[in-house]
Amino acid sequence: YLKRHHSSLFQPPLPLHKLHSIQRLGFGTNNKIFVEFDAPWWDADCDVIQLVWEDEDALVDQVPDVQRSWIKKLFGFTVVQPTERYGHLVCGWIAGHESEHMETLSEHEVMHAVTQLIRRFTGNPSIIPRRILRSQWFHDPWTNGSYSHLATGCSEQDLKNMMEPLPLNESKARPLQVLFAGEATHLCYFSTVHGALLTGWREADRLISHYSSSNPSACPTSKL
């Protein structure tokens, strides 16, 4: 969201070093496709199902014909456990431009493609999914993708720039204005949910410290 809207979101604009870090940081789309079955077609002790294509001449980052071959980017399934709680459920993983294309398809089209994929790899033409549920992170207007990654040319300093509050050195003349949280602002746990959670706590603590120092009488007294 920052990559797409920073120029209209902030007035005055963000400092150049923060803007450059936002531009350098990688960001993409990794979607999940949950597929439910009436009965399992995998072994009882199976945790992960990997799909390997033998008809590829070379490994490429982008499939030339995304509309026809997007399903090949679904590289495998995770078996969701325990069965007693979730039933016979697998989670498929798909990333990149093919993942973005998948979001534009109807649920029926996605189910058909996944069904044909599973039948092809298992050799069992009778497999019929009960239903599917997929994420659509790229077309969500508040995310425009799923999570960040360290792209070529990006460094640890960019993550430090991302997490800086504005202004960095606050004072009475320049009080705290904007705080930045989210997985892309954690030095170790970027690209993760727990990174997002930890940075939320970090900025909440920053707010508590800010308002406690500016108005000590307003700070509630702990009863612990």
Side-chain angles (χ1 to χ4, degrees), residues 161-218:
N161 292 344
M162 292 290 294
M163 64 190 288
E164 282 183 2
L166 294 176
L168 178 59
N169 299 313
E170 64 170 307
S171 63
K172 289 184 178 180
R174 301 175 69 245
L176 193 63
Q177 298 288 314
V178 185
L179 281 63
F180 293 84
E183 51 83 15
T185 70
H186 199 288
L187 291 176
C188 300
Y189 298 124
F190 51 88
S191 307
T192 67
V193 173
H194 49 285
L197 176 65
L198 291 173
T199 59
W201 286 350
R202 180 192 68 209
E203 298 310 311
D205 287 338
R206 195 190 306 275
L207 283 173
I208 291 172
S209 175
H210 170 75
Y211 285 110
S212 298
S213 59
S214 61
N215 188 8
S217 62

Side-chain angles (χ1 to χ4, degrees), residues 27-49:
F27 196 82
T29 303
N30 194 358
N31 275 309
K32 298 178 182 179
I33 305 176
F34 291 95
V35 193
E36 184 181 14
F37 301 87
D38 290 325
W41 45 268
W42 54 89
D43 295 335
D45 60 348
C46 178
D47 294 320
V48 178
I49 302 162

Side-chain angles (χ1 to χ4, degrees), residues 40-102:
W41 45 268
W42 54 89
D43 295 335
D45 60 348
C46 178
D47 294 320
V48 178
I49 302 162
Q50 299 282 0
L51 307 178
V52 180
W53 295 85
E54 295 182 345
D55 61 346
E56 295 298 308
D57 294 331
L59 294 176
V60 294
D61 291 333
Q62 296 184 28
V63 177
D65 187 354
V66 173
Q67 294 183 353
R68 183 178 60 86
S69 303
W70 68 268
I71 192 65
K72 287 187 176 183
K73 201 63 174 288
L74 197 158
F75 57 86
F77 297 93
T78 302
V79 179
V80 182
Q81 301 283 4
T83 301
E84 295 78 15
R85 180 175 181 181
Y86 299 109
H88 307 300
L89 189 68
V90 296
C91 174
W93 299 83
I94 182 170
H97 295 293
E98 294 80 7
S99 182
E100 296 169 5
H101 175 71
M102 180 276 299

Side-chain angles (χ1 to χ4, degrees), residues 149-162:
H149 62 87
L150 296 183
T152 302
C154 187
S155 69
E156 181 180 337
Q157 185 59 48
D158 290 310
L159 294 174
K160 292 179 179 178
N161 292 344
M162 292 290 294

Side-chain angles (χ1 to χ4, degrees), residues 134-147:
R134 40 92 185 258
S135 58
Q136 294 172 287
W137 287 112
F138 181 72
H139 287 88
D140 187 312
W142 303 112
T143 58
N144 305 140
S146 51
Y147 44 76

Side-chain angles (χ1 to χ4, degrees), residues 101-114:
H101 175 71
M102 180 276 299
E103 294 187 21
T104 67
L105 303 176
S106 68
E107 191 169 288
H108 174 77
E109 290 174 309
V110 175
M111 178 178 280
H112 175 75
V114 172

